Structures are given as C-alpha cells and as structure tokens.
C-alpha cells in the first residue's frame, strides 16, 4: 500500500506536518508493505489562482504533479492547519489549481483527515469545513480527528502523542485506511 501524508500548511515548523507524519508511521508500524511518502506542499507552490492566470498559464506543472501524487496513492492522511478559521492560503491555492484539472481532486482515495493547533480548538473549524466539502471533491473520508492543544498532547522529543486517550482515537482513525 502506498500511503501519502501531508500537512495543508506551508510552515517549515508545521505541527500539522508532524501530526500527519506521526499518523502515517502508525499505519506503517501496524501493517507490512506500507510505503509512506510525506509531501511538503512547498514543493508544489503555484501562482495565486485566478481565471485570468489560468487562461494565460494553463495548468501549472506543480498542480499536475500534486494531482499525480494523489492518483498514485492507495490512501491519504491530511492534517489541516487553521488560519483565521479556514484553510491556509498555500493549501487553498494549490487545491484550487488542482481542482481545475479535475473536480474530483482526491480521486475516491480513502483518507483520514486530521487537524491540530496550539490552542484548545484543535483547528476543528477548518477540519469540519474540510470533511463537509470532501465528498464533492472525490474524497472517501474514513475518519477525522482534531487534536487540541498540540504542545500539551504531543511529546516533541519522541515525536509521539503523549495523551493516551488521543492516541487511542488516532490509532482507531488510521486503522480505517490500513
């Protein structure tokens, strides 16, 4: 199984990338033959989307490569950062370009959607938006989970969830795509 994991964030210090990577490692540890690829959406940076730019540029190569990565995956783990209650600009822009290639961006791939933040809300607002809209974009969402207060619940040294209740919920969530 090829498992694609990424954070919907372009931060070099992304706690959502840490969470997505950790969640993917749980799948790999629990099942033989899992090949994990962790993407950095910075590798797919595109100009700000507009119909004018699309008419001028066509489909950027970065969006085409991102779409191809999704097509190659047997399962996906995404962890969403929340900026002002919504998607990060970097992710939303890449998603918008990719949706112009095919509205079914996620190509019916089984996925787990996660979110975290330093605060008690755990980026739940953006996670709710993502899980609600996902079926329109060809996502087969098997589970979703918000991790509140990341730094209180994740051991930065060991790169693992330290909260046993949240760990149990995360293991249950990722088991749905294993």
């Amino acid at each position: 199984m090829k498992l694609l994991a990424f954070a919907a964030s372009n931060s070099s210090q992304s706690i959502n990338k840490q969470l997505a990577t950790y969640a993917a490692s749980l799948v790999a540890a629990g099942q033989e033959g899992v090949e994990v690829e962790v993407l950095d959406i910075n590798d797919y940076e595109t100009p700000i989307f507009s119909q004018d730019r699309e008419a001028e540029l066509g489909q950027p190569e970065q969006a085409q490569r991102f779409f191809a990565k999704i097509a190659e995956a047997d399962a996906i783990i995404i962890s969403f950062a929340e900026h002002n209650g919504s998607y990060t600009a970097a992710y939303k822009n890449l998603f918008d370009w990719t949706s112009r290639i095919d509205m079914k961006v996620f190509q019916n791939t089984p996925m787990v959607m996660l979110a975290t933040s330093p605060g008690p809300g755990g980026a739940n607002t953006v996670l709710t938006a993502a899980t609600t809209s996902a079926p329109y974009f060809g996502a087969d969402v098997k589970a979703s989970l918000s991790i509140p207060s990341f730094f209180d619940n994740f051991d930065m040294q060991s790169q693992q969830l330290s909260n046993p209740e949240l760990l149990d919920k995360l293991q249950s969530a990722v088991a749905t795509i294993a």
Side-chain angles (χ1 to χ4, degrees):
M1 175 173 84
K2 181 161 181 152
L3 176 59
L4 189 65
F6 64 92
S9 168
N10 64 342
S11 170
S12 64
Q13 303 298 312
S14 173
I15 58 177
N16 280 280
K17 187 172 185 181
Q18 290 175 56
L19 179 59
T21 301
Y22 176 63
S25 76
L26 293 175
V27 175
Q31 182 179 337
E32 283 188 44
V34 175
E35 176 189 336
V36 174
E37 181 175 6
V38 178
L39 295 185
D40 184 335
I41 68 167
N42 287 300
D43 295 336
Y44 302 91
E45 189 172 328
T46 55
I48 294 174
F49 177 79
S50 73
Q51 290 180 326
D52 293 338
R53 283 204 179 97
E54 182 181 32
E56 176 188 339
L57 303 171
Q59 296 300 322
E61 180 264 338
Q62 301 91 322
Q64 293 176 36
R65 286 190 301 115
F66 183 70
F67 187 73
K69 286 291 184 185
I70 292 169
E72 295 168 2
D74 297 308
I76 300 171
I77 294 173
I78 304 174
S79 190
F80 291 90
E82 185 173 280
H83 288 184
N84 297 319
S86 191
Y87 301 101
T88 64
Y91 173 75
K92 180 69 167 82
N93 190 56
L94 177 58
F95 181 85
D96 287 346
W97 276 111
T98 306
S99 74
R100 300 299 280 195
I101 296 168
D102 187 333
M103 278 295 289
K104 302 298 184 187
V105 171
F106 297 116
Q107 305 166 57
N108 300 309
T109 307
M111 63 176 40
V112 171
M113 292 186 160
L114 306 171
T116 193
S117 71
N124 199 46
T125 302
V126 72
L127 182 61
T128 300
T131 57
T132 302
S133 68
Y136 299 106
F137 300 104
D140 180 10
V141 180
K142 299 295 188 183
S144 66
L145 179 65
S146 167
I147 303 292
S149 306
F150 183 78
F151 295 105
D152 294 337
N153 292 304
F154 193 86
D155 183 317
M156 297 300 286
Q157 189 168 3
S158 67
Q159 290 292 293
Q160 297 180 27
L161 274 175
S162 54
N163 179 311
E165 182 181 326
L166 290 173
L167 176 57
D168 185 54
K169 288 179 180 181
L170 182 59
Q171 288 171 326
S172 294
V174 299
T176 65
I177 59 170

